[in-house]
Amino acid sequence: MPAIIMKKGRYMKIYADNAATTKISKAALDTMIKVMEEKYGNPSSLYEIGQNAKNIIEEARETVAAALGASPREIIFTSGGSESDNQAIITAAAIGEKKGKKHIVSTAIEHHAVLHTLNKLKNKGFSITLLPVDNNGLIDLEELKNAITDDTCLVSVMFVNNEIGVIEPIEEIGKICREKGVLFHTDAVQATGHIKIDVGAMNIDMLSLSAHKFHGPKGIGALYFRKGIPLTAIIDGGAQERGKRAGTENVPAIAGMAVALKEATEALESNAEKTIAVRDYIIDGLNKIPYAELNGDRIKRAPSNINFCFEGIEGESLLLLLDDKGISASSGSACTSGSLDPSHVLLAIGRPHEVAHGSLRLSIDENLTKEEADYIIKSVKDTVEYLRNMSPLWRDLVTGKRKHIFEEY
Ligand SMILES: Cc1ncc(COP(=O)(O)O)c(C=O)c1O
C-alpha cells in the first residue's frame, strides 16, 4: 500500500460519518449532566423538583418550535426519527381511514422507518404509491400531482436523503399538497439543524427530527404536527405529552437536544458555507478517480454529503481499509450496511447492482480542515487503486471482457 500521511507520528483520525450520527456538542453534554444532577425530578410530580423538570421540557419545546417556525403546542418529544416517522404516518392513516381514504404517496428512496411503516399499512389494505426518482435522486412534481387521487390521505417525502444527500423540493411539494387538500409529512431527520426549515412557508403538516444528527444526544427526537391534527398515540400509558406519547420524559436528552438545535440553527448559514466549500473540494478531488461517479444531485445536495460509486470494487473492503487509515465512513446508511443487498436508494437512481455495491458515503461537518480533506482524497484514491489491482472484476473491465458502466472521467 502507498505511504499513509501521518500527523505527529500517528494516523490522522477523521470522523466522516455524520449522517449516521454526530458527536454531541460540549454545550449539550454539559446541559445534560447539569439536568441529571440538578433537575432529576419526574416532570409529572406536582412538587417543586418535579415542576423544575417540567419547566426544562417546556423551555425545550419552545426552542424546538422556534427552530421550525412552529408553535410549542405543535411539538411532541419522541425517541427519535424512527418513532416520529411511524407516528406521523400512522396518524395520517387513521385520519384517512375515518374518511374512507386509504391511499398514501411516498418515494422509493425513503428511510426504512417510513418504508416499513408503509408496508405494514399495505398489509392492512392501504394502497401505496412510491414515486420513482430521476438519476439525480429528485422526484418529479408532475408525477406527484398525477399520483394524488381523491383517495389519498398522505404524501410523505423526505427533506434530505440520508444516503445521497439530495434535497427534495419540499416547498413545492407542500404547495401541491395544500392545493389538493392532502396531509404532507416530511422526514427531516437529515435536514434539521443543517438546512433552513419553515413549516408554515413550506406547508408542512408533520415533520420528523432526531437530535443525534445535529450534535445532540441519541434516543431523542420530536414530531411537529400542525395545530388541529389529531395525533394517534403509538405508545399507550400515562398522560405525558398531552396523551400523545406515554412514558416518563427523557428530560436530560430533551434539554440536550434543545441546546444542540439552538446552536445548530444559529450557526446554520456559516456552517453550511464552510461545509459546502470543503465538500465541493473533496467531490472535485474524487471525481478525478477514473470510472467513479458522484451519486445524487450536484447542487441540490446537503452541505455535508459526498457519495460516490467506484467501478470494480466492493464498498465494504473500501470501508475497512479506510478505517485502517483512520477514516470513518459508510457504504450506505448505517441501517443497511451489514446487509449484502445493494442500497435501495442507489438502485432507485439507476445504478446497476455491480456499481451500487462499490459505493462510499462521506458525511463531513464544518470542522473538517483542508489538510484532512486532502488526506481523505489521497486515501480514497490509493485504496480504490489498491483494491482494483486485486479485483478479478476490474481485470475483466480492463481486458474488455466486461463493459465499463461509467465514463473514464
Ligand atoms: C432520513 C432518516 N430518517 C429516519 C432516521 C431514523 O432516526 P433515528 O435513528 O433517530 O431513529 C434516520 C437515521 O439514520 C434517517 O437518516
Side-chain angles (χ1 to χ4, degrees), residues 225-330:
F225 60 109
R226 186 176 294 284
K227 186 168 170 261
I229 294 180
L231 274 194
T232 301
I234 56 172
I235 298 179
D236 294 315
Q240 291 92 350
E241 297 298 272
R242 285 178 282 137
K244 300 305 177 194
R245 206 281 185 176
T248 304
E249 299 88 337
N250 188 346
V251 187
I254 290 172
M257 169 164 71
V259 169
L261 186 54
K262 190 159 189 283
E263 279 184 321
T265 311
E266 282 169 2
L268 194 145
E269 274 167 35
S270 70
N271 283 348
E273 201 179 310
K274 276 191 250 167
T275 315
I276 286 171
V278 183
R279 175 199 73 186
D280 289 349
Y281 180 76
I282 296 176
I283 289 177
D284 290 342
L286 297 184
N287 255 332
K288 297 200 177 94
I289 298 175
Y291 303 106
E293 264 189 29
L294 181 71
N295 296 312
D297 196 89
R298 183 76 172 81
I299 309 294
K300 292 171 188 151
R301 170 170 213 105
S304 61
N305 182 286
I306 299 149
N307 189 319
F308 269 83
C309 277
F310 303 100
E311 272 191 54
I313 63 151
E314 287 290 335
E316 279 71 20
S317 317
L318 179 57
L319 280 196
L320 293 175
L321 292 175
L322 288 178
D323 188 26
D324 280 349
K325 294 183 174 200
I327 299 170
S328 308
S330 155

Side-chain angles (χ1 to χ4, degrees), residues 136-352:
N136 291 329
L138 289 158
I139 67 156
D140 181 318
L141 293 171
E142 280 309 307
E143 271 184 86
L144 169 66
K145 277 186 205 162
N146 294 335
I148 298 173
T149 69
D150 290 345
D151 274 345
T152 309
C153 60
L154 173 70
V155 169
S156 180
V157 178
M158 70 199 318
F159 208 124
V160 169
N161 181 267
N162 46 305
E163 293 189 40
I164 57 173
V166 61
I167 305 172
E168 297 296 338
I170 293 301
E171 199 164 341
E172 291 85 341
I173 298 170
K175 194 160 174 268
I176 292 169
C177 292
R178 187 51 56 91
E179 278 164 12
K180 301 232 179 206
V182 174
L183 283 178
F184 173 38
H185 163 249
T186 185
D187 173 342
V189 167
Q190 295 288 343
T192 311
H194 305 287
I195 291 172
K196 203 165 167 16
I197 299 176
D198 182 332
V199 289
M202 295 173 165
N203 287 311
I204 296 167
D205 295 309
M206 287 186 278
L207 176 145
S208 310
L209 64 90
S210 179
H212 73 108
K213 309 290 186 178
F214 51 79
H215 301 287
K218 292 167 185 56
I220 190 74
L223 173 62
Y224 154 78
F225 60 109
R226 186 176 294 284
K227 186 168 170 261
I229 294 180
L231 274 194
T232 301
I234 56 172
I235 298 179
D236 294 315
Q240 291 92 350
E241 297 298 272
R242 285 178 282 137
K244 300 305 177 194
R245 206 281 185 176
T248 304
E249 299 88 337
N250 188 346
V251 187
I254 290 172
M257 169 164 71
V259 169
L261 186 54
K262 190 159 189 283
E263 279 184 321
T265 311
E266 282 169 2
L268 194 145
E269 274 167 35
S270 70
N271 283 348
E273 201 179 310
K274 276 191 250 167
T275 315
I276 286 171
V278 183
R279 175 199 73 186
D280 289 349
Y281 180 76
I282 296 176
I283 289 177
D284 290 342
L286 297 184
N287 255 332
K288 297 200 177 94
I289 298 175
Y291 303 106
E293 264 189 29
L294 181 71
N295 296 312
D297 196 89
R298 183 76 172 81
I299 309 294
K300 292 171 188 151
R301 170 170 213 105
S304 61
N305 182 286
I306 299 149
N307 189 319
F308 269 83
C309 277
F310 303 100
E311 272 191 54
I313 63 151
E314 287 290 335
E316 279 71 20
S317 317
L318 179 57
L319 280 196
L320 293 175
L321 292 175
L322 288 178
D323 188 26
D324 280 349
K325 294 183 174 200
I327 299 170
S328 308
S330 155
S331 73
S333 66
C335 323
T336 52
S337 60
S339 105
L340 284 176
D341 293 335
S343 139
H344 67 288
V345 176
L346 296 178
L347 296 181
I349 62 168
R351 297 295 186 216

Side-chain angles (χ1 to χ4, degrees), residues 382-399:
D382 291 350
T383 312
V384 167
E385 211 176 289
Y386 172 79
L387 287 171
R388 281 178 174 169
N389 284 339
M390 302 195 303
S391 154
L393 183 65
W394 183 249
R395 203 173 321 124
D396 286 353
L397 290 163
V398 173
T399 56

